[in-house]
Structure formats: structure tokens, C-alpha cells
């Protein structure tokens, strides 16, 4: 059952809210954020030109570089006295992207996350074990306020300390676990090392996000832990976790709370909208944020949109699982590849563990790609035979042959206990 009636409303009602909230968002951005006013003036467009959601393509796009250029608070639309909380995204490639929230913004976030948890099947009778990191990262705080708004009990354990995670999960009977997909598998491995069958753990739902998760990895999570795996999506620049989520009834795409965050999909090269259902780069506009209104943010995430009503009864658009990032595209000898495509291909193979790494080098002005794949614990095939199987599948499915392919022992590839897993190492 939807947490909020708007989730299953007629499309015309959803559109009315979008129209109204887009007009207010554009007005706020134009009047209070010099960056947007300059961009719009250059394009010859003003708030009066934006009447309906169809006019959104008249607006400028926003990029992660704009956040960093306007660091720390150049995109704020309110005085610091009105800000109630500040978070920041990763600053691994430069200055972090600073995001701010008024009291009303926090209420929007809380409601979006409560909707998300309800869609995942969490109820007020459940205990949610929150293994996302706290601090400047939005994951931990976002999950916590969503659970509390929903009325569920929360265990704010944070990331890492896997021994304590298992102890608390077992002793308190946690119903849902929220963490990255790679960490849920790490917990399963750690349980097995302790002589615990992960399928005997009390958790029945894993809500994973902050990393792309292919269908084979989801299937591995569900199999190893005997759970329902639910994909959660969000990003700090828009609000944090809670932009969209799969429903537990269908698990067929992530419902975007489009009365709050309007989605588009564009061609990553041209920025032009693609046809409905076609894959492209996800672009998001905040429709209900005061401190940091964001117009047409180019997320870099590759997906598609499906406007058909879901079997759960929700009418809000569904985005497909993120297949990769537009800036993660690998071009190897003229072949375009995303790391997620490689993952999707190799994880379909029996005897392969859901752990791999890609190393990129440059030799004699040519790109070289080395692929390391981990053998499963219960593998029936030896390394040499498995190497041949993996190579053949990559060639037949992706027309791709790595310059080097190594099959390594179970556990040989480093695990990530805290933070996002790194799959690609670019040494060029």
C-alpha cells in the first residue's frame, strides 16, 4: 500500500503538482541564485517562460562541475540563518559538493525516505539496521530519518565493524538491513567464516544503494542471505537517498517520487531528450527544495524510464536499474563498454564469485585493460577452465577480449567494509 496517495494518483494530478512546483522552483532559483539567473539570462529565458513541466527543456542544465565551481555555498538560495543542516558528497576528484537543507527541505527528505522504506516493504513493526555511513555522507542520516518518520525502529550502527553488525542483527532480530550491495555480500562472507549460515540470519529485506547493482549481483545477495533485495537510489545533490526505490511487490524498476524530483533521460553526448524507454543519462530537477533548488542536474547515471502503471498500483514513473555512468565509459580498441556490462556478463557464469577488478594502463599510446575475476568458493571448474569460459563469454556477448584475464582464489580481491566498492583502477 502506498505511503502517500499521490504515489498512485492519476497522471493528470501528478502533472498538476509538477507544473506548480516547477514554476515555484524556477522562480526561487532565478531570484535567489546568481548562477541560475546568469545562465537563464544568457539563454533568454525567465520564470515567466516556464508554465508547465513541458517547458523544462528551456532551462539550463547543472553539472557536478557547477557545484564545485560554486563551492561552498554559491548555489544556496537562502541565507545561512535559514539552513538547518549541511551535507557533502565525495570530494575524491576535487572539492566536495556542499548541499543544504531548510526545515521544510528536511521534511521533504523525511517523507521521501519514509515512502521509500514503505515501498520496500518495511512497516512500523520492523527493526531497520542502518549500516550506511553517518557524517557528511547523506546515507546514514537519510535512512534514519526515513525509518523514524515511517514509525519503524532503527538501529543506527553505521558502516563497518562487521562483527558487531552480525551480533546486533542476530541478538536483536533485525528485519531489514540497509547498506551497499557489496557490503551485504561481505556480511554474508563474514558470517560463513564465523560458522553462521547467512540464510539463518533474521534479516528478510536488504535495501541496497550508493553503488550500481546488476541483476546477477542482486540474485547473489538474495541467494546468499535468503532475502528480498531492494534497490534504492539517491544522490546528495538532489536530496540524498530517497529519490527512487523498487517496490517489494514487483521489483521491476525504481519508482521515482516525481512530485518531488522530476526525471528526464537525455543523450549523454548531445544533452537532447531521448525517446521514452530509450537508455540515456538521467537528469533530475528538484521540485520541492528551498535551500538548494537544482535545475536539470546531469547525474551521469545511465538508465531509462517506464511510465506504465506498476502491478503494485503506483503510477509514478519507474527508472531502470542504473547500468553505469556516462563518465565511466571504457573505450577499448573501438569498443564501448561500461564496467557494469562486464559484471553482468561474468556473473552469469557458474563458479564465478561476485568480485572482480578492472585495471587500465597505457602502453605504446594504446589503452590496455586487465581483468581479474575471483573464483567462487564452491567452484567445480579449475582456474584454467574457468578462464577459458569467461574469455569465451566476454567475446560472444560483448565482442570484447581483455589484454589480460586472471582467475584468482576466493577472497583474493580486496573487500570494502566501509564506503563504496572500487571496481575500476585507472593507471593511465
Amino acid at each position: 500500500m502506498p505511503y502517500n496517495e499521490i504515489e498512485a494518483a492519476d497522471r493528470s494530478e501528478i502533472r498538476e503538482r509538477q507544473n506548480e512546483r516547477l514554476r515555484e522552483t524556477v522562480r526561487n532559483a532565478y531570484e535567489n541564485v546568481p548562477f541560475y539567473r546568469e545562465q537563464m539570462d544568457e539563454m533568454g529565458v525567465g520564470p515567466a517562460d516556464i508554465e508547465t513541466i513541458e517547458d523544462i527543456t528551456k532551462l539550463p542544465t547543472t553539472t557536478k562541475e557547477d557545484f564545485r565551481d560554486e563551492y561552498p555555498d554559491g548555489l544556496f538560495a537562502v541565507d545561512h540563518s535559514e539552513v538547518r543542516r549541511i551535507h557533502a558528497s565525495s570530494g575524491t576528484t576535487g572539492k566536495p559538493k556542499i548541499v543544504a537543507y531548510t526545515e521544510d527541505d528536511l521534511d521533504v527528505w523525511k517523507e521521501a525516505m519514509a515512502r521509500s522504506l514503505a515501498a520496500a516493504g518495511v512497516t512500523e513493526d520492523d527493526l531497520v539496521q542502518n549500516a550506511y555511513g553517518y557524517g557528511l555522507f547523506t546515507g546514514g542520516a537519510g535512512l534514519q530519518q526515513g525509518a523514524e518518520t515511517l514509525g519503524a525502529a532503527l538501529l543506527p550502527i553505521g558502516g563497518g565493524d562487521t562483527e558487531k553488525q552480525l551480533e546486533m542483527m542476530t541478538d536483536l532480530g533485525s528485519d531489514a538491513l540497509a547498506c551497499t550491495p557489496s557490503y551485504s555480500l561481505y556480511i554474508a562472507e563474514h558470517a560463513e567464516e564465523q560458522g553462521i549460515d547467512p540464510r539463518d540470519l533474521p534479516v528478510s529485506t536488504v535495501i541496497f544503494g550508493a553503488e550500481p547493482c546488476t541483476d546477477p549481483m542482486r540474485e547473489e545477495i538474495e541467494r546468499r542471505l535468503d532475502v528480498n533485495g531492494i534497490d534504492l537510489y539517491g544522490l546528495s545533490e538532489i536530496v540524498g537517498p530517497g529519490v527512487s526505490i523498487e517496490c517489494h511487490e514487483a521489483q521491476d524498476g525504481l519508482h521515482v517520487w516525481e512530485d518531488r524530483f522530476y526525471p528526464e533521460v537525455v543523450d549523454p553526448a548531445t544533452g537532447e531528450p531521448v525517446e521514452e524507454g530509450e537508455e540515456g543519462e538521467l537528469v533530475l530537477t528538484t521540485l520541492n527544495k528551498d535551500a538548494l533548488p537544482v535545475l536539470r542536474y546531469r547525474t551521469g547515471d545511465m538508465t531509462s524510464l517506464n511510465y506504465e502503471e506498476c502491478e503494485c498500483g503506483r503510477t509514478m514513473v519507474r527508472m531502470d536499474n542504473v547500468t553505469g555512468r556516462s563518465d565511466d565509459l571504457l573505450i577499448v580498441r573501438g569498443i564501448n563498454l561500461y564496467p557494469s556490462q562486464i559484471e553482468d556478463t561474468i556473473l552469469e557464469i557458474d563458479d564465478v564469485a561476485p568480485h572482480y577488478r578492472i585495471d587500465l594502463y597505457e602502453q605504446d599510446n594504446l589503452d590496455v585493460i586487465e581483468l581479474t575475476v575471483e573464483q567462487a568458493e564452491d567452484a567445480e571448474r579449475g582456474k584454467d577452465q574457468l578462464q577459458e569460459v569467461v574469455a569465451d563469454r566476454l567475446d560472444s556477448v560483448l565482442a570484447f577480449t581483455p589484454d589480460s584475464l586472471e582467475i584468482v582464489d576466493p577472497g583474493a580481491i580486496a573487500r570494502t567494509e566501509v564506503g563504496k566498492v572500487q571496481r575500476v583502477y585507472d593507471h593511465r
Side-chain angles (χ1 to χ4, degrees):
M1 177 181 295
Y3 179 82
N4 189 313
E5 291 182 357
I6 192 63
E7 299 170 43
D10 186 84
R11 293 293 308 173
S12 62
E13 182 179 347
I14 296 172
R15 185 52 53 93
E16 286 178 11
R17 291 202 188 186
Q18 291 172 336
N19 293 341
E20 178 183 351
R21 289 174 175 174
L22 178 63
R23 289 193 293 268
E24 177 56 29
T25 295
V26 171
R27 184 203 59 77
N28 183 27
Y30 186 84
E31 293 180 0
N32 298 304
V33 184
F35 168 81
Y36 282 125
R37 184 163 55 251
E38 292 170 7
Q39 294 289 314
M40 291 174 66
D41 284 347
E42 286 182 11
M43 297 175 68
V45 62
D49 298 306
I50 308 301
E51 297 181 355
T52 70
I53 204 72
E54 283 78 13
D55 295 322
I56 199 166
T57 55
K58 299 177 182 178
L59 296 170
T61 58
T62 311
T63 66
K64 62 183 179 181
E65 288 77 17
D66 295 328
F67 269 85
R68 289 174 177 143
D69 289 345
E70 297 296 321
Y71 178 90
D73 57 1
L75 294 178
F76 289 13
V78 299
D79 293 333
H80 280 226
S81 61
E82 297 181 57
V83 172
R84 291 296 172 268
R85 194 189 300 170
I86 289 177
H87 282 282
S89 67
S90 168
T92 54
T93 57
K95 288 286 190 180
K97 298 182 284 292
I98 302 295
V99 295
Y101 307 79
T102 63
E103 196 68 47
D104 287 344
D105 294 338
L106 290 174
D107 288 342
V108 167
W109 191 9
K110 292 173 185 177
E111 196 266 351
M113 261 314 309
R115 281 192 208 183
S116 298
L117 292 174
V122 176
T123 73
E124 59 185 16
D125 297 323
D126 289 334
L127 171 61
V128 179
Q129 183 161 329
N130 186 10
Y132 283 111
Y134 282 79
L136 290 176
F137 174 57
T138 54
L143 260 292
Q144 174 161 335
Q145 62 193 17
E148 291 172 346
T149 301
L150 180 63
L154 184 94
L155 179 61
I157 193 167
D161 198 352
T162 307
E163 190 74 31
K164 182 65 69 176
Q165 298 275 0
L166 283 170
E167 180 184 355
M168 293 289 99
M169 184 185 299
T170 302
D171 294 347
L172 294 174
S174 301
D175 299 287
L177 170 66
C179 62
T180 63
S182 57
Y183 189 53
S184 67
L185 289 174
Y186 186 87
I187 288 175
E189 287 184 350
H190 194 76
E192 290 170 344
E193 291 170 1
Q194 301 300 311
I196 302 170
D197 187 338
R199 295 169 297 180
D200 292 337
L201 295 171
V203 169
S204 60
T205 302
V206 173
I207 301 166
F208 49 76
E211 297 169 356
C213 185
T214 60
D215 285 337
M217 179 170 275
R218 178 225 292 281
E219 291 165 6
E220 181 73 3
I221 292 169
E222 293 185 329
R223 182 187 68 81
R224 293 280 291 278
L225 289 159
D226 190 24
V227 295
N228 209 23
I230 302 294
D231 198 357
L232 169 69
Y233 178 82
L235 60 168
S236 300
E237 299 91 314
I238 299 301
V239 73
V243 171
S244 66
I245 194 168
E246 291 177 317
C247 61
H248 71 279
E249 296 96 335
Q251 289 180 278
D252 185 21
L254 291 79
H255 292 276
V256 182
W257 308 132
E258 55 177 312
D259 59 319
R260 306 289 195 188
F261 320 106
Y262 184 76
E264 305 171 75
V265 172
V266 304
D267 184 314
T270 66
E272 293 299 314
V274 301
E275 295 294 325
E276 183 177 324
E278 186 178 335
E279 184 178 77
E281 181 182 357
L282 180 66
V283 174
L284 290 168
T285 296
T286 63
L287 296 180
N288 232 178
K289 285 184 66 186
D290 297 329
L292 191 70
V294 179
L295 305 181
R296 306 192 73 208
Y297 183 68
R298 297 194 57 164
T299 67
D301 292 324
M302 300 296 289
T303 188
S304 59
L305 297 178
N306 178 1
Y307 285 88
E308 294 179 2
E309 181 176 333
C310 181
E311 67 180 60
C312 72
R314 291 178 177 85
T315 53
M316 290 201 165
V317 65
R318 283 169 287 158
M319 57 180 275
D320 196 9
N321 301 79
V322 172
T323 58
R325 290 188 52 79
S326 59
D327 51 6
D328 281 346
L329 179 66
L330 308 176
I331 304 176
V332 184
R333 293 180 294 280
I335 299 173
N336 293 351
L337 293 168
Y338 289 102
S340 59
Q341 290 177 290
I342 297 175
E343 176 181 305
D344 209 8
T345 302
I346 62 176
L347 292 192
E348 290 284 357
I349 302 171
D350 292 336
D351 298 337
V352 168
H355 302 286
Y356 67 95
R357 64 176 284 163
I358 297 168
D359 289 271
L360 298 171
Y361 300 91
E362 184 176 324
Q363 294 179 4
D364 300 326
N365 296 318
L366 294 174
D367 289 334
V368 173
I369 182 167
E370 296 182 355
L371 177 61
T372 306
V373 178
E374 194 172 294
Q375 186 181 35
E377 285 275 3
D378 56 354
E380 296 182 0
R381 285 173 284 203
K383 291 180 185 176
D384 290 343
Q385 185 182 5
L386 190 55
Q387 182 181 41
E388 184 177 340
V389 171
V390 171
D392 286 347
R393 182 161 179 81
L394 288 170
D395 181 51
S396 63
V397 175
L398 300 178
F400 160 65
T401 302
D403 296 279
S404 171
L405 171 60
E406 182 180 8
I407 307 297
V408 297
D409 292 332
I413 294 177
R415 305 298 196 254
T416 301
E417 189 172 6
V418 179
K420 301 180 181 182
V421 68
Q422 184 174 355
R423 301 291 195 195
V424 181
Y425 297 79
D426 194 342
H427 309 281
R428 293 173 296 184

